[in-house]
Amino acid sequence: MEKEECISQWHKTRDSSTLRNRKVFPSPEQTHQSPITPESKIKQDDSPCSNGSSGDFSARASVDSPNQLLLIVVTGLSFATRLYKITEPPHVCWDETHFGKMGSYYINRTFFFDVHPPLGKMLIALAGYMTGYDGTFPFVKPGDKYEDHNYWGMRGFCAILGSFLPIFAYLIVQELSRSHTAALITAALLIFDTGCITISQYILLDPILMFFIMAAMLSMVKFNQQSSRPFTAPWWLWLVLCGAALAGALGVKFVGLFVILLVGLNTAGELWRILGDLSLSLMDVAKHFLARVVGLILLPLFLYVAVFAVHFALLNKSGPGDGFFSSTFQSRLIGNNLYNVSMPEYLAYGSTITVKNLRIAGGYLHSHWHLYPEGVGAKQQQVTAYLHKDYNNMWLVQKPDNDNLSLRFLSIPDLVRHGDIIRLEHKETTRNLHSHLHLAPLTKKHFQVTGYGINGTGDTNDLWQVEVCGGRRGDLVKVLRSKVRFLHKATGCVLYSSGKTLPKWGWEQVEVTCSPYLKETPSSQWNIEDHINPGLPNISLSLLKPNFLEILLESHIVMIRGNSGLKPKDNEMNSKPWHWPINYQGLRFSGVNETEYRVYLLGNPVVWWINLASLGLYLIMVAVSSIAIQRGISLQQERLVLTGGGGLLLLGWLLHYAPFYIMGRVLYYHHYFPAMLFSSMLTGAKFSCILRCLWLSIFDLHFYMFHPLSYGMTGPLAHEPGSAMAGLKWMDSWEF
C-alpha cells in the first residue's frame, strides 16, 4: 500500500514538473523574490517521497541532462570560434598598440597615463608575463610585426574571457525564462556573431569589460533565485560574486557604472518588496539592507581601491605619463627629476623656477628665441606651454623695481606672498613674461602672451600679481603644493593654458594666453615645480609626497578630464550612437588593400538586425499583453516573461546604450557591444518558440559567409572582380 501511494505521488510530481517546464510561473502576488520559480523549490518538488531516492534522481536527471549537454555544446563552440587563428595576423591590430604597450609598461614597472582604470591592463600584463612575454615589444603602430615576441598569451587571455560571454548569456536567459530553447537561441546569437568574435580575439579591454558585466548579471540573477533561502551559503556566495564582478567592471572602464546602476535598481526593487512583506520583522528588513550594503557597496569599493593600490605599487618608475600629473605626484616616481631631491620649500625673489599648468597636458610655461609671425598679434617672442622638461622652461622671479643685481646677492631672500607683484624673467633669453590687448593666436577672446624687453628691462605690462588659490594676503607660496594664479596688473586677465596646439610656426606646442575670464579652472592654475635658490634652506621633497588617498583622488580627476577631452584623430571616421544598432559601419582592425591581411570589425548583420527588430517587437508585445490583461484576459505567463526577465534585459540594454547620446567625447562602434549582449539575451528570451530550428540554420549559414571578417581575408576587395567576399557588401558604408 505504501509503495502504491509513493508511485501515485511520483506521477503527481511528474505532472507538476511537466507544468513547470511549460513555464507556468507564480504571480508577483505569490512571491516577492522573483518572477521565476527558485531552483531549490523545483528540486524539492521533484522528490517523489521521503524514501524514493531513485525517483528523485530520475526526475532531476530528466531536467538537468539536456541542460548539461547543451551547455557543453555551447562551451565548445564558443571557445572554438574565439581561439581559432588566435595568432593571426602576426602584427599589431588597431588598439593593440595602446593596451599591449600598457601591458609592457606594467611588466617594466614604468608609469603611464590612460583614461581608463587600471584593472584591464594589469590583467593583460599578467597574462603576457605568465606566458613568457618580456615587455620589450614597442607597440609603436598598427601593422608592426610581432616576430619572436610571445603576444599569443595576451590575445589568448582576452579570447578566453570573450568565450565566456555566450556561456554566461545562456545561463542568464535559462534562469530568467526556464527555457533551454531560449538560452540556446541567445547563445547562438553570440557564438556566431562575427563582431563578438573579432572584438574578443585581440589585446583589448572590451572582452575583459564584457566578461565582468555578464558575470555581474549572472550573479545577480542567481542571487535573486536564492531569495527564498536568505543568508544561506549560496545566497552569500552569489551576493559576494556580484559585488566582485561590479568592482571588476568599473576597474576596467568607467562605463562599468552602467551595470552598477542596473544592479542597484534591481536591488532597490527587491528591498522595496521585502519592506512590504509583513511576515518579516523590521530587524529582518534591516539585515537584508545591511547585507546588500556590505556585498554590493563596501566590498566592490574595497576591491576597486585595492586595484589602484596595486597599480601605484607596480608603476613606481618615471615614464611617459608623468607630465599628466601634478609635481607632487611625480616626486614619488623613481627616475623623475623630482624624486628624492631637496629644494627650498617657499618661493622667494631671486629664485629660478619652472611653472607647470594644472590642466591635463597643460604643459610647462615656456619661451624660446622664435617670434610670433607677422599678423599674429605683436611680433614679439613666443611664450607657449611645453609638455616636456626643458631648459627653456626656466624663469627668474624678480621684484617689479628692476633692482635685480642687489636681489641676486641678498643673503636672506625675501619670500613671495599671496598678493605680491612680481616679474618673471625668462632665464635663457632674459625677456619678461608680458601681455597686452592684442588677441591671442588661436583663442580670439583671450589676449596674447609674449616675451618682451631684454635683461629684465621692460614696461608695466610685465607685472603680474601672485594669487594662492584659496589663500589670504600674506600667505607664503609653497613649492609643489600651492595652486597659484598670475593676474596681469595692466589688463586684469589671468595667465592661461588653452590646451590648443599651435601651428608649425609655434613648433606645435600648446597655446598660452591671458584670459579675461577670472573663474578658477585648472587651465588658469599653476604650481611651482623646480626651485633653485642658494640663499634658502632645502627640504627633502619626500616630506611633500602625497598620501595614497591624495594620489587616488588626483588619478581619478586626471582620468575623468582625459576621458571627456578625447577628440577624433585626423582623418578618423567619427561614429554616432544611432549608427550602432543598425550595424551601419564597422571598424578596420588591420589592412587596407588586397595584398594585406585584412580584419574588419562588423557584427553579423542577420544577428544585429534581428536584435533591432526584436526590441521594437518586445514593446509591441508588452503593450498588447497589457491591454489584454486590462480586458480581463488571463496572460499570467506572458506577463511574467515580458515584465520580469524581459524588462530587466531591456533596462540593461537602455543603460548601456542611451547614455552615449549625451557624451561629449569621441565615440566608436565598439562602445555598443555591451548593449548588444543585452539585446541578444532579450531576443533569445522572447523568441524561444519561434522558428527555433530555422534561426539556428540561418545563423550558421551567415556565420560561414561572413567569418573571413574575423579570421582574415586576402585577395581583391569585396567590390572588385574575383573577390571571395563578392555579394556580401550589403551596405556601401562597409569597408572590406
Side-chain angles (χ1 to χ4, degrees):
M1 185 67 180
E2 182 179 350
K3 182 177 180 181
E4 292 175 355
E5 290 178 355
C6 185
I7 293 174
S8 176
Q9 185 179 351
W10 182 85
H11 282 290
K12 292 179 181 179
T13 304
R14 183 187 61 182
D15 294 339
S16 65
S17 176
T18 303
L19 290 174
R20 279 194 301 274
N21 288 334
R22 292 177 183 172
K23 300 191 292 185
V24 178
F25 304 109
S27 67
E29 291 78 8
Q30 292 172 315
T31 176
H32 69 267
Q33 293 88 353
S34 170
I36 310 303
T37 304
E39 184 178 357
S40 59
K41 185 176 180 182
I42 291 177
K43 290 183 178 180
Q44 180 181 356
D45 292 347
D46 282 344
S47 300
C49 57
S50 59
N51 59 356
S53 59
S54 62
D56 177 43
F57 175 81
S58 300
R60 192 177 308 166
S62 66
V63 175
D64 291 346
S65 295
N67 181 36
Q68 293 174 355
L69 180 59
L70 289 176
L71 186 58
I72 291 172
V73 172
V74 166
T75 302
L77 287 174
S78 185
F79 275 85
T81 52
R82 270 68 182 168
L83 293 174
Y84 177 62
K85 297 182 71 172
I86 193 65
T87 59
E88 298 293 333
H91 59 248
V92 178
C93 293
W94 195 51
D95 271 357
E96 285 188 326
T97 185
H98 299 304
F99 303 119
K101 182 185 299 182
M102 292 170 189
S104 298
Y105 285 144
Y106 275 109
I107 293 174
N108 296 312
R109 307 193 68 176
T110 302
F111 188 78
F112 67 93
F113 165 70
D114 186 40
V115 297
H116 305 299
L119 179 59
K121 284 92 66 178
M122 289 169 60
L123 293 175
I124 288 172
L126 178 62
Y129 180 78
M130 296 297 290
T131 54
Y133 173 60
D134 58 5
T136 58
F137 186 74
F139 287 97
V140 174
K141 64 183 184 302
D144 289 348
K145 299 291 185 181
Y146 283 115
E147 296 181 345
D148 296 330
H149 293 274
N150 290 335
Y151 65 97
W152 59 267
M154 293 182 283
R155 279 192 183 176
F157 170 74
C158 293
I160 288 172
L161 294 192
S163 300
F164 278 99
L165 302 180
I167 301 170
F168 286 166
Y170 177 91
L171 296 173
I172 291 168
V173 172
Q174 191 205 11
E175 288 290 338
L176 292 177
S177 67
R178 291 296 175 185
S179 168
H180 300 317
T181 303
L184 184 60
I185 289 175
T186 301
L189 288 169
L190 297 178
I191 287 173
F192 299 121
D193 179 61
T194 50
C196 283
I197 293 174
T198 305
I199 208 166
S200 297
Q201 288 193 309
Y202 298 93
I203 307 171
L204 304 172
L205 297 184
D206 301 272
I208 308 175
L209 170 68
M210 292 190 288
F211 172 85
F212 284 116
I213 289 175
M214 294 295 281
M217 184 69 182
L218 176 60
S219 301
M220 180 187 73
V221 171
K222 288 285 191 179
F223 175 72
N224 289 343
Q225 299 303 315
Q226 299 294 327
S227 56
S228 62
R229 301 187 297 169
F231 307 109
T232 60
W235 188 90
W236 279 110
L237 173 65
W238 290 115
L239 179 65
V240 168
L241 288 177
C242 185
L246 293 179
L250 185 61
V252 175
K253 283 188 176 183
F254 284 128
V255 292
L257 286 168
F258 301 153
V259 74
I260 291 177
L261 182 57
L262 176 62
V263 172
L265 292 174
N266 177 79
T267 302
E270 286 295 305
L271 289 174
W272 181 252
R273 285 190 288 271
I274 289 173
L275 182 63
D277 186 351
L278 299 182
S279 66
L280 298 175
S281 67
L282 290 179
M283 182 59 70
D284 292 331
V285 174
K287 289 179 180 178
H288 276 279
F289 177 80
L290 289 175
R292 286 160 174 82
V293 168
V294 171
L296 300 179
I297 297 178
L298 297 182
L299 175 64
L301 183 61
F302 170 78
L303 294 176
Y304 180 75
V305 172
V307 166
F308 277 88
V310 176
H311 168 72
F312 294 134
L314 287 175
L315 303 184
N316 62 353
K317 297 179 182 178
S318 179
D322 293 17
F324 291 92
F325 289 80
S326 68
S327 304
T328 54
F329 188 102
Q330 296 180 42
S331 67
R332 51 179 293 278
L333 299 173
I334 299 172
N336 190 281
N337 69 309
L338 298 176
Y339 179 76
N340 204 26
V341 299
S342 298
M343 64 176 60
E345 182 177 8
Y346 298 105
L347 181 65
Y349 294 101
S351 295
T352 300
I353 63 173
T354 60
V355 185
K356 186 177 186 297
N357 189 256
L358 297 188
R359 69 169 286 145
I360 295 175
Y364 295 90
L365 187 64
H366 178 95
S367 189
H368 39 236
W369 289 103
H370 302 279
L371 306 181
Y372 286 101
E374 196 72 40
V376 182
K379 194 175 181 180
Q380 296 176 5
Q381 185 169 295
Q382 296 177 16
V383 172
T384 65
Y386 190 48
L387 298 178
H388 305 282
K389 299 179 185 293
D390 186 86
Y391 184 77
N392 280 328
N393 300 341
M394 308 295 291
W395 299 82
L396 288 170
V397 181
Q398 306 284 32
K399 281 195 170 184
D401 55 8
N402 292 327
D403 190 13
N404 300 331
L405 185 62
S406 61
L407 278 173
R408 292 172 185 172
F409 292 97
L410 285 175
S411 58
I412 303 178
D414 289 341
L415 299 179
V416 177
R417 300 176 183 271
H418 175 90
D420 283 3
I421 308 299
I422 67 170
R423 286 186 299 106
L424 287 176
E425 178 186 322
H426 189 241
K427 179 79 170 176
E428 171 68 11
T429 63
T430 72
R431 290 195 169 100
N432 296 326
L433 186 69
H434 177 98
S435 187
H436 42 224
L437 296 179
H438 292 273
L439 298 182
L442 304 179
T443 309
K444 296 302 182 182
K445 293 184 179 181
H446 292 191
F447 301 131
Q448 183 187 33
V449 175
T450 68
Y452 179 75
I454 191 166
N455 292 325
T457 302
D459 59 25
T460 56
N461 282 332
D462 302 339
L463 303 182
W464 302 82
Q465 181 173 324
V466 178
E467 295 183 344
V468 178
C469 298
R472 296 176 296 180
R473 190 164 191 86
D475 286 352
L476 297 174
V477 180
K478 295 181 179 180
V479 174
L480 300 185
R481 289 285 193 175
S482 293
K483 296 179 180 179
V484 177
R485 295 202 311 168
F486 297 98
L487 181 68
H488 191 242
K489 288 299 294 180
T491 63
C493 57
V494 292
L495 192 66
Y496 190 94
S497 174
S498 71
K500 298 177 181 178
T501 302
L502 293 168
K504 297 287 186 181
W505 56 256
W507 304 95
E508 297 182 340
Q509 296 174 9
V510 178
E511 179 193 39
V512 169
T513 69
C514 199
S515 170
Y517 308 103
L518 302 184
K519 180 180 178 181
E520 288 190 4
T521 69
S523 296
S524 63
Q525 295 174 334
W526 308 76
N527 73 278
I528 311 304
E529 184 168 290
D530 296 284
H531 185 208
I532 303 171
N533 194 317
L536 292 174
N538 292 336
I539 66 166
S540 173
L541 288 189
S542 61
L543 300 176
L544 304 179
K545 286 181 181 178
N547 59 42
F548 172 73
L549 291 180
E550 288 175 325
I551 63 177
L552 179 67
L553 177 61
E554 179 179 347
S555 64
H556 279 78
I557 293 173
V558 172
M559 284 189 294
I560 291 170
R561 289 176 183 167
N563 235 317
S564 61
L566 288 176
K567 303 299 179 186
K569 302 172 186 175
D570 292 339
N571 302 319
E572 184 176 51
M573 180 65 69
N574 194 8
S575 180
K576 300 184 184 301
W578 68 266
H579 292 169
W580 305 339
I582 64 175
N583 217 22
Y584 177 75
Q585 188 175 41
L587 273 171
R588 184 183 292 113
F589 267 36
S590 174
V592 295
N593 58 51
E594 66 179 42
T595 63
E596 296 177 323
Y597 196 101
R598 302 188 306 278
V599 176
Y600 191 66
L601 176 66
L602 184 72
N604 185 326
V606 173
V607 171
W608 284 55
W609 294 339
I610 287 176
N611 283 347
L612 182 61
S614 73
L615 289 169
L617 184 57
Y618 172 80
L619 298 177
I620 295 173
M621 292 171 66
V622 170
V624 171
S625 64
S626 299
I627 294 172
I629 292 171
Q630 189 68 17
R631 294 295 299 171
I633 300 174
S634 178
L635 293 174
Q636 185 183 57
Q637 176 180 344
E638 288 77 6
R639 177 187 177 189
L640 289 170
V641 171
L642 291 173
T643 61
L648 185 65
L649 296 173
L650 179 65
L651 179 62
W653 176 79
L654 284 171
L655 290 175
H656 285 83
Y657 175 55
F660 287 102
Y661 280 93
I662 60 174
M663 289 187 184
R665 56 154 290 170
V666 61
L667 299 174
Y668 299 101
Y669 171 66
H670 70 97
H671 287 141
Y672 183 69
F673 276 84
M676 183 266 181
L677 298 177
F678 285 91
S679 66
S680 296
M681 289 189 288
L682 181 61
T683 299
K686 186 167 80 312
F687 287 104
S688 61
C689 298
I690 302 177
L691 303 176
R692 58 187 71 173
C693 296
L694 177 60
W695 280 27
L696 289 174
S697 63
I698 290 176
F699 300 149
D700 292 346
L701 173 62
H702 286 84
F703 165 73
Y704 177 77
M705 293 168 59
F706 284 92
H707 79 274
L709 296 177
S710 293
Y711 298 127
M713 303 164 282
T714 57
L717 302 177
H719 63 277
E720 297 174 350
S723 172
M725 303 298 289
L728 295 179
K729 190 175 181 182
W730 296 352
M731 298 182 69
D732 291 336
S733 55
W734 295 355
E735 302 171 350
F736 56 85

